[in-house]
Amino acid sequence: MNRTTHNREERARLRKMRYASLLEGTTLLLLLGVAVPLKHLAGQAGMVAVMGPLHGVAFLLYFWMTMQTLAVSDWTRGDALRMVLAALVPLGGFVNERMLARREAALAARAGE
């Protein structure tokens, strides 16, 4: 595989990770910021019943994609730890997405695109 193809594939992988990070962060925010307060303050448990499993699937997808990305890319231990911890901290997914976007932009700049 030549360098240009590798660069494109890496950027595509980063773009997918960004989407997974946003999805995980959004579902966590909706779960903690909307569904849980509705359950405890208004006695409406229905939203938790929907958002809980949706967030669970988004969380598993994020971790699956993180493991795949770390397995085939050149990441430092600090980057890997940040990607894992981002899913465990509220709003961490959004911070992680910005870092992934910067890395993607740096790859694009290196390729001259």
Side-chain angles (χ1 to χ4, degrees):
M1 171 180 348
N2 66 32
R3 189 176 183 174
T4 304
T5 304
H6 178 71
N7 188 291
R8 272 193 215 122
E9 288 178 4
E10 179 73 13
R11 288 188 356 244
R13 190 175 305 110
L14 286 171
R15 196 171 308 109
K16 290 176 187 175
M17 275 301 307
R18 288 176 57 201
Y19 294 145
S21 190
L22 287 173
L23 177 65
E24 193 279 331
T26 301
T27 59
L28 180 60
L29 194 61
L30 288 172
L31 181 63
L32 296 178
V34 177
V36 171
L38 279 175
K39 178 181 178 181
H40 293 288
L41 299 176
Q44 303 287 328
M47 186 86 166
V48 171
V50 172
M51 285 310 304
L54 282 176
H55 173 66
V57 169
F59 184 80
L60 292 174
L61 173 70
Y62 176 81
F63 266 103
W64 173 255
M65 291 184 68
T66 298
M67 293 305 118
Q68 286 183 325
T69 299
L70 293 174
V72 297
S73 300
D74 184 29
W75 294 77
T76 66
R77 285 184 180 170
D79 288 334
L81 182 62
R82 175 189 46 81
M83 288 177 66
V84 170
L85 290 177
L88 303 174
V89 177
L91 304 178
F94 301 107
V95 173
N96 189 52
E97 187 276 333
R98 291 289 56 194
M99 291 179 179
L100 292 168
R102 284 194 292 274
R103 187 173 177 133
E104 183 183 347
L107 281 172
R110 240 183 270 149
E113 296 178 7

